[in-house]
Amino acid sequence: MKIKSIWFHIGFWIIYTAIFTVVEASYKGKYTEALAFELMNMPMRLIVVYFNYFVLLPRFLLQGKTAKYFTYTLLTLIVAGFIQRLANYKILSIFYSDLYDFGVWLPYKFLQTSMIIASPLILIIGISVIWKVAELQKRAKTLENEKLQSELKYLKSQINPHFLFNTLNNIYGLSLENSKKTPELILKLSDFLSFSLYESTQKFILLEKEINLLNDFIDLEKSRFDDRVAVEVSIPENINQISIPPLILVPFVENAFKHSLKNETRIAHIFVKLEVVDGQLIYEVKNSKPDQTIEDSSPRGIGLENIKKRLNILYDDQYKLQIEDEDESYSIVLKINV
């Protein structure tokens, strides 16, 4: 037993004895005799309580063997009641013959004595069970948090290479054309790497940082597709100190670029809007769809699926994601309570 636990038990017995001494003495006002009676019962109470606490409780009750636990506890109380009754009769009656009714062989007297011994057992075992349950719940919560954090790290490890892969492809394509945009894209890639190393590992980041990453990504994609895409962005300049998970906003825009420009010959349109209204972040991304939809045999994108999983882990029911897939447009509206 730890020191703190030992002092808890000592304090329990002192308080328990004091309370029951007062209760016992309230009938006749004889505090000395009441204290002697409580001290007389103390050894057997200690034996019963700690036999139950160290043997029966962990071996049966905490193992789910409830019937055996109560059976052995009842037998222990019966034996203890019998022994205590005899001890009271042999010892206490010598000094305080008027304190106790010594019908030692009456069955209900044994039951009465057993209940006197059982009273602290009920209290301390009840407290112990509550304590054990609280510890188990705390441990379960810790394990669950560790599991969630591991899953979040796994999902992020999928997202980061996904961004880098697309960006490197962009730079490679433009480098073949000796484009003057290549240095700018390399600088954007550097920003992505910096974000990946220092920001995306955090559980939450400032919304302002995520917006900066979003703007960089949009600029990168616009430079790649030139005049093939028209992007309209509506984001307020002043954002309060709001925190969100990293890499939440960008994948929706990435998805919009990917699907609005696939097999499209005319200009694609993308609309991005972010606002904070009444403690709720509202994020909308809408993109036009190609005139002709060609079946895509490539693996399904991991971005949106990961975002949904991360939102479920981080926000549970504190967010809402609406997706509308119409004939000419595809849109998402994400609402997060911040």
Side-chain angles (χ1 to χ4, degrees):
M1 294 175 68
K2 297 180 180 179
I3 298 298
K4 185 183 294 186
S5 180
I6 291 174
W7 280 111
F8 168 80
H9 285 267
I10 292 174
F12 170 83
W13 288 111
I14 291 174
I15 294 172
Y16 177 88
T17 302
I19 291 174
F20 275 81
T21 295
V22 173
V23 172
E24 182 72 22
S26 64
Y27 295 103
K28 296 183 180 180
K30 298 181 180 180
Y31 289 93
T32 303
E33 295 178 357
L35 178 60
F37 177 75
E38 291 300 321
L39 293 177
M40 185 66 190
N41 287 280
M42 179 66 72
M44 188 57 65
R45 283 172 171 168
L46 291 172
I47 292 171
V48 170
V49 165
Y50 289 109
F51 174 73
N52 199 290
Y53 185 81
F54 288 110
V55 179
L56 300 184
L57 183 66
R59 184 173 295 182
F60 298 110
L61 187 59
L62 296 182
Q63 299 298 323
K65 302 175 182 179
T66 308
K68 285 187 176 181
Y69 171 78
F70 283 108
T71 299
Y72 285 120
T73 298
L74 182 60
L75 290 174
T76 301
L77 289 172
I78 292 174
V79 172
F82 178 80
I83 295 173
Q84 186 64 48
R85 189 69 189 173
L86 290 177
N88 289 347
Y89 179 75
K90 295 293 185 180
I91 302 173
L92 197 60
S93 60
I94 299 174
F95 303 98
Y96 303 102
S97 58
D98 58 337
L99 179 66
Y100 202 86
D101 181 6
F102 295 102
V104 67
W105 302 114
L106 297 177
Y108 79 90
K109 292 293 184 179
F110 287 108
L111 178 61
Q112 183 184 58
T113 305
S114 295
M115 292 306 299
I116 290 173
I117 295 172
S119 58
L121 175 66
I122 295 171
L123 284 174
I124 203 164
I125 296 303
I127 293 172
S128 299
V129 169
I130 293 173
W131 201 327
K132 294 283 187 183
V133 170
E135 286 183 347
L136 290 174
Q137 289 178 340
K138 184 178 179 180
R139 188 180 305 170
K141 187 175 181 180
T142 300
L143 292 175
E144 181 65 19
N145 287 337
E146 291 176 354
K147 178 183 176 183
L148 292 179
Q149 290 303 317
S150 297
E151 187 170 352
L152 282 173
K153 289 180 181 178
Y154 171 70
L155 294 176
K156 288 178 183 177
S157 71
Q158 289 185 304
I159 291 173
N160 294 341
H162 189 48
F163 285 143
L164 296 177
F165 177 78
N166 287 340
T167 305
L168 286 171
N169 272 344
N170 295 349
I171 295 174
Y172 174 72
L174 291 173
S175 67
L176 293 178
E177 302 172 1
N178 293 319
S179 173
K180 294 181 180 180
K181 297 175 182 178
T182 303
E184 180 185 353
L185 294 183
I186 293 176
L187 183 60
K188 298 292 184 184
L189 176 59
S190 176
D191 291 339
F192 273 115
L193 287 172
S194 176
F195 189 94
S196 175
L197 289 172
Y198 302 110
E199 304 293 345
S200 67
T201 56
Q202 300 179 36
K203 186 175 181 180
F204 290 93
I205 63 170
L206 290 176
L207 176 58
E208 181 182 359
K209 293 183 178 180
E210 182 79 1
I211 290 175
N212 290 337
L213 184 71
L214 177 64
N215 287 329
D216 285 344
F217 181 82
I218 292 174
D219 290 342
L220 186 150
E221 291 292 82
K222 286 170 64 178
S223 66
R224 175 189 175 195
F225 293 105
D226 293 322
D227 56 357
R228 287 183 56 200
V229 59
V231 183
E232 181 182 351
V233 180
S234 175
I235 298 176
E237 293 183 0
N238 297 322
I239 296 292
N240 295 329
Q241 297 296 309
I242 295 172
S243 297
I244 64 170
L247 297 174
I248 285 291
L249 304 182
V250 174
F252 292 112
V253 176
E254 181 190 23
N255 188 69
F257 274 99
K258 176 181 177 181
H259 293 287
S260 63
L261 289 161
K262 184 183 297 182
N263 306 311
E264 180 62 277
T265 57
R266 60 187 177 89
I267 296 177
H269 294 271
I270 297 174
F271 173 74
V272 180
K273 182 180 180 181
L274 186 145
E275 58 183 341
V276 178
V277 180
D278 297 330
Q280 190 174 58
L281 184 147
I282 304 174
Y283 180 55
E284 180 181 359
V285 179
K286 185 175 182 179
N287 64 271
S288 59
K289 296 176 68 174
D291 289 334
Q292 295 181 349
T293 303
I294 299 177
E295 185 177 352
D296 187 5
S297 60
S298 62
R300 187 177 181 182
I302 63 174
L304 292 182
E305 291 301 317
N306 281 351
I307 293 300
K308 292 177 183 178
K309 291 180 181 178
R310 292 177 64 205
L311 289 170
N312 286 331
I313 292 173
L314 293 168
Y315 288 103
D316 194 18
D317 59 350
Q318 298 300 308
Y319 85 97
K320 187 176 182 180
L321 180 62
Q322 299 173 328
I323 299 177
E324 294 185 6
D325 191 354
E326 300 178 348
D327 293 336
E328 297 184 353
S329 65
Y330 181 91
S331 65
I332 67 98
V333 178
L334 174 63
K335 298 180 180 179
I336 301 175
N337 295 334
V338 294

